Amino acid sequence: MSTSPMPAEAPGLSAVLRLRGRAFGPGDFAVMAVVNRTPDSFYDRGSTYAFSAAVDAASRLIEEGADIVDIGGVKAGPGTEVDPAEEIRRVAEVVAAVRDRHPDVIISVDTWRSEVAKVVAEAGADLLNDTWGGVDPQLAEVAAAYGIGLVCAHAGRVEPRTRPHRIAYEDVVADVVAYTTDLAERAVAAGVRRDAILIDPAHDFGKNTWHSLEVSRRLDELTATGWPVLVAVSNKDFVGETLGGLPVEERHAGTLATLAVSALQGARVFRVHDAASARTALAVVTRLSGAPS
């Protein structure tokens, strides 16, 4: 039974996510594919850092079934400092090029900075993926001004690109539900379209492995709020640790299992490195759940 509080104004279980003219209702699964324009990504280790490599990777992922391409210019974990100007240099031209090559694809940008958000919105982005949980309140204002979407995430109230030591919650899922739904309602109050907002528990962000597993077990408490839920679990540390300490290149099967469990609990958007495998796994979930294919 759910123990998390419902938001004061839940949008309803039939809430539909609408981005760039596409609609994803309950039971629909959207694959969000990752393109890292960083030299130090934990997963691809800079293989898509070059401009042409990043744009070509986006095209390949779209061909493999990605509905959304999520472009990022800053490694999530600790590392070399990347200021806003450098982040803009890395992501804005890729957004513009992908938009030119793929007019209909949904483009997301992984950023927590409003100054970056404004530039990429002008370049053609449809969604701002704020994985650090609203540290820059002006990000929602940018989304509202440009009529684009926003991801409201729970990162444990930590500073971007930090890994807190011994973080604790009385009830991590209750905290995630309360925090993300509050961010979502504040975004609506700032003028962001209600049907362009997602909530994200942000596995491993401000959480240890136990917390991330608990969120996965009880993800239905997030989907019960009515807000479309994004899950970003692809090859993450909690998957590797759960399987005995597997390195990143051996976490694929665990990733797909976690995606399937999340989909069965009602998650709507899935951020992944392997779009083709995710699309196949989600197709199986659709058939198993009895939903129309």
Side-chain angles (χ1 to χ4, degrees):
M1 181 178 294
S2 174
T3 59
S4 301
M6 291 288 286
E9 297 181 17
L13 294 178
S14 62
V16 176
L17 174 67
R18 301 182 192 277
L19 297 169
R20 198 165 192 83
R22 296 191 60 185
F24 303 93
D28 294 329
F29 300 139
V31 172
M32 172 190 276
V34 181
V35 175
N36 291 312
R37 195 173 186 204
T38 60
D40 52 358
S41 165
F42 88 98
Y43 179 73
D44 57 43
R45 295 174 173 82
S47 66
T48 56
Y49 180 52
F51 170 75
S52 59
V55 177
D56 289 345
S59 295
R60 173 179 54 80
L61 291 162
I62 293 165
E63 180 67 23
E64 292 177 357
D67 303 287
I68 306 168
V69 174
D70 189 47
I71 300 165
V74 183
K75 176 184 176 182
T80 303
E81 173 65 21
V82 180
D83 64 21
E86 173 61 13
E87 185 181 358
I88 289 169
R89 185 195 71 79
R90 292 180 181 183
V91 298
E93 63 177 354
V94 176
V95 170
V98 174
R99 171 57 61 228
D100 183 64
R101 188 181 292 188
H102 303 282
D104 298 326
V105 76
I106 300 166
I107 298 177
S108 169
V109 173
D110 183 351
T111 187
W112 73 90
R113 293 164 164 158
S114 58
E115 58 263 60
V116 176
K118 184 176 186 296
V119 176
V120 299
E122 292 176 349
D126 306 294
L127 179 67
L128 303 175
N129 183 13
D130 178 16
T131 56
W132 291 103
V135 294
D136 183 347
Q138 293 183 327
L139 200 73
E141 296 175 11
V142 174
Y146 286 87
I148 61 178
L150 180 67
V151 176
C152 297
H154 176 282
R157 304 166 185 80
V158 302
E159 290 295 316
R161 307 190 69 197
T162 62
R163 291 176 177 163
H165 181 61
R166 295 185 182 279
I167 193 164
Y169 302 93
E170 182 176 340
D171 181 333
V172 64
V173 177
D175 200 86
V176 168
V177 169
Y179 190 83
T180 58
T181 55
D182 179 66
L183 272 183
E185 290 295 348
R186 280 192 278 158
V188 171
V192 182
R193 292 190 350 259
R194 186 176 285 273
D195 62 1
I197 295 173
L198 302 96
I199 61 174
D200 174 11
H203 294 73
D204 281 1
F205 282 64
K207 301 170 188 69
N208 59 30
T209 290
W210 188 93
H211 295 138
S212 292
L213 287 172
E214 185 71 357
V215 167
S216 290
R217 294 184 190 106
R218 297 167 53 192
L219 196 74
D220 59 335
E221 295 178 37
L222 275 76
T223 60
T225 67
W227 293 104
V229 172
L230 180 153
V231 290
V233 300
S234 186
N235 301 300
K236 283 195 169 177
D237 286 347
F238 86 95
V239 174
E241 290 183 9
T242 299
L243 298 174
L246 292 181
V248 64
E249 64 271 13
E250 297 178 24
R251 299 173 186 174
H252 183 62
T255 293
L256 293 180
T258 309
L259 288 180
V261 170
S262 301
L264 285 169
Q265 294 184 82
R268 197 84 55 91
V269 180
F270 304 83
R271 186 178 185 271
V272 297
H273 297 97
D274 184 342
S277 293
R279 177 60 67 197
T280 299
L282 293 170
V284 173
V285 172
T286 297
R287 297 299 295 271
L288 288 172
S289 65
S293 58

